[in-house]
Amino acid sequence: MYNILICDDEPDIVSALKIYLASDGYGIYEAYNGREAIEMMQKTEIHLVLMDIMMPEMDGVETLYHIRQKQGNYFKNIPVIALTANAISGAREMFLSEGFADFVAKPIELSVLERVLRRYIPEDKIIKVEEYETAKK
């Protein structure tokens, strides 16, 4: 199973993303701040992270910095996608320069999220809705 970690301090956003992504058959994990995200990544095989930028305790940029400082290719290479309401001109370049794989603006448009996820989820791990529905039966 392909596991996605959603890290956002807004429970409504986490819940909505969880429902959407779980309906596609992915394993969904949640964290509500950077510390929880790092802890989850240390104990669970996560394949991709959706990370809010503005969070209390440790923001998304600081959390990504701590992730990348950990030993091993897993922490160095895992795709971390920024989620932000601050989608100003040049935001994508700014987030890429910070080490994020990509970013999705809030409010999240599902078609944009889907397009971004398809860039990072390996083709053999992309679950088509029809396949998921058949597998559930």
Side-chain angles (χ1 to χ4, degrees):
M1 177 165 290
Y2 193 85
N3 295 325
I4 299 173
L5 173 62
I6 303 165
C7 182
D8 197 306
D9 63 320
E10 293 290 329
D12 290 345
I13 291 173
V14 173
S15 180
L17 286 171
K18 186 175 181 178
I19 290 167
Y20 173 71
L21 294 168
S23 71
D24 281 350
Y26 298 110
I28 305 301
Y29 294 84
E30 52 195 79
Y32 295 92
N33 60 55
R35 179 188 47 76
E36 288 180 4
I38 292 168
E39 288 173 4
M40 180 65 66
M41 292 175 70
Q42 290 175 320
K43 65 182 182 183
T44 305
E45 184 180 11
I46 300 296
H47 300 102
L48 182 137
V49 180
L50 298 172
M51 176 81 63
D52 184 26
I53 295 299
M54 302 296 293
M55 295 183 291
E57 283 187 51
M58 192 185 321
D59 68 22
V61 173
E62 185 180 358
T63 302
L64 180 63
Y65 172 79
H66 286 289
I67 290 168
R68 297 295 189 230
Q69 294 304 307
K70 299 231 170 263
Q71 294 294 313
N73 286 335
Y74 169 71
F75 293 105
K76 303 277 189 261
N77 298 321
I78 187 168
V80 180
I81 298 169
L83 302 177
T84 182
N86 188 18
I88 57 171
S89 176
R92 184 172 195 275
E93 292 75 19
M94 180 184 71
F95 291 123
L96 293 177
S97 73
E98 291 288 353
F100 287 92
D102 217 321
F103 96 103
V104 174
K106 291 179 182 178
I108 297 169
E109 291 182 37
L110 294 179
S111 63
V112 172
L113 177 62
E114 185 83 21
R115 195 167 42 250
V116 170
L117 290 176
R118 287 184 178 274
R119 290 182 198 142
Y120 302 97
I121 298 174
E123 186 67 34
D124 65 326
K125 300 294 182 186
I126 293 175
I127 300 169
K128 313 285 189 288
V129 174
E130 307 80 40
E131 293 171 10
Y132 179 66
E133 291 300 321
T134 302
K136 284 189 344 186
K137 292 181 181 176

